[in-house]
Amino acid sequence: MKVFEANISLLGADFLAKKLSNFSVLESANELLQFTTGIKSFFSYKSELIELKEKLSISLYSVKEPDREEYGDFQTNRLLANKITNRIHEQGINPEIIIEPTCGKGNFIVASLNNFSGIKQIIGIEIYKPYVWETKFSILDFFLKNPKCSKPTIEIFHYNVFDFDFKNFSNLVINNNLLIIGNPPWVTNSQLGSLNSNNLPKKSNFKNLNGLDAMTGKANFDIAEYITLSLFEAFQCINGHLALLIKNSVVKNIVFDQKAKQYRIGSIEKHCIDSKKEFNVSVESSLLFCKLNSSPEFECREYNFYNKEMSLCFGWVKNKFVSNTATYLHTQSIEGICPLEWRQGIKHDCSTVMELERTNGHYWNNLKENVVIEDELVFGLLKSSDLKNTVINETRKYTIVTQSKVGQETNYIKHQFPETYKYLYKHLSVFQSRKSSIYKGKPLFSIFGIGDYSFKLYKVAISGLYKTFHFTLVLPQKDKPVMLDDTCYFIGFENIEYAVYAIILLNSPQTEDFLRSITFPDAKRVFTKDILMRINLLKLALNCSKQYIEEQLKYINDKYSLNLDLKLWDNFIKELTPMKEKQMTLFGH
Ligand SMILES: C[S@@+](CC[C@H](N)C(=O)[O-])C[C@H]1O[C@@H](n2cnc3c(N)ncnc32)[C@H](O)[C@@H]1O
């Protein structure tokens, strides 16, 4: 049943209804409840006491829960909260102070009361008043069932966690053994942006990103990450531990940022949970567990929460961030900087108009319109889902390429390709409603991810979204280069031989092992420009045996009816060799 929109058990409701019937003075009611539960100021105002008595005396009602998306509201079930606190206790941890930074319905607080015998003080913070009540009711319930348990001082604050002064609080707990436990909100700033919500920290660019990164995906962050980092900051000199359920991406970001920020955390562990089972969501998440007030550590051991088995360790190996420190040690020989620049494909955020399909010699857009335009600006297009084969020479889709470099004026289309201009102009409103601020103040029909490199005839590409460690050779279509969309990354070549040599190297077991040791399979984008730039193609070419290259070349020739040889191999190596090294060889060093 519900009171103040908060669930309350029959035991709790019955206790309150009976005991409070004789109390009308706020202080006396609060004294009784502190005696029973340890909670200080159970009622903040007399009006709350009166209201609660009224609600309990009339029939108890149930209210439909409002939409709480902006609060990242995924309550931890009691069983899981209990298992987590129990696991912490098994490790010999018996905290005196508990902080639950966004306590929700209070399941971690009650689980802590269940599992830790030495708690002196509990602080819970929650923005949603019904949950504040539900937490208090659950604590009441706990002590009614366990009257002999010792009662810590408990404060449940109806407060915005971003306004809570943890630093000030930390000054009061200097000599105590602290446990920060909980499950901060699962919501990102960009989700909040689309919900028009301001459930955000004041300093939203807390990673100090530059203007362009702040405009693009890099500035997207989970508010759980902000909360976790604020807690590290506030409690860095306090003895204790932190145990928070957060998305795997947040754990990874924290360990990544650890190098620059040097938070005083150590014994960092990630215990993977089954989010589908526990929260019915498809986001990978884990319990981040670490020691506070420790000299900074830069590795994180990963475990399966349920069977306690350790799977791997990720983090920093010297100045390289890797997903598996053990396998990286065997694959690192090709780590470096790729001599050729990996590029991201075209971004236009306007697929309804800019992407075409061709049937019976006619182009059609996603609005099912027959598009009659000049051929010049139309190029074959490949998306992530197209990059399944090793060689592609035909595309299912096409795209209109309005610029040959970022920012180029697009007026020329009007004069040189009037039908194309007419078509684009007819759909001007679709272009104008593109949300991303990168299009603001740019020429009409602007695109991004375009440059000389886009027009190279031969490309070696990979999908950033898929977990397949497979590179594809993209050949020209009717003598025109094929474009890739912005979910893909590629390097371009002027001749097919170089492209084929590159694909042989990139699809080698050596590259796959290296990539597996530096990529995170649960990342939104497994492959990014930063990851791909770490493959030193020159070292790889020099490491690979000639016999392997010859075998692979024969296989590709046979399978795709090509007739390529290794005559250009030495030139390819020269092309990959940085200018400085070329000069050194020239002068006999
Ligand atoms: C993922 S739920 C977890 C709740 C609880 N810690 C648990 O483990 O069951 C996140 C909680 O954070 C609360 N919350 C969201 N934004 C908040 C804010 N700015 N200040 C305090 N609490 C907030 C939500 O109302 C929700 O109860």
Side-chain angles (χ1 to χ4, degrees), residues 32 44 51-52 74 123 153 161 169 224 231-232 299 331 383 394 398 427 468 509 521 577 583:
L32 166 78
S44 308
E51 206 184 334
L52 180 81
F74 294 91
I123 298 285
T153 305
V161 68
F169 180 74
L231 292 165
F232 287 159
E299 281 184 0
T331 64
K383 294 168 157 261
E394 225 181 355
Y398 293 80
H427 295 293
T468 45
T577 309
Q583 283 167 355

Side-chain angles (χ1 to χ4, degrees), residues 504 544-554 566:
I504 291 173
C544 250
S545 76
K546 247 321 186 353
Q547 188 193 345
Y548 174 79
I549 310 277
E550 276 162 5
E551 279 166 13
Q552 294 301 312
L553 187 62
K554 182 171 175 336
L566 281 176

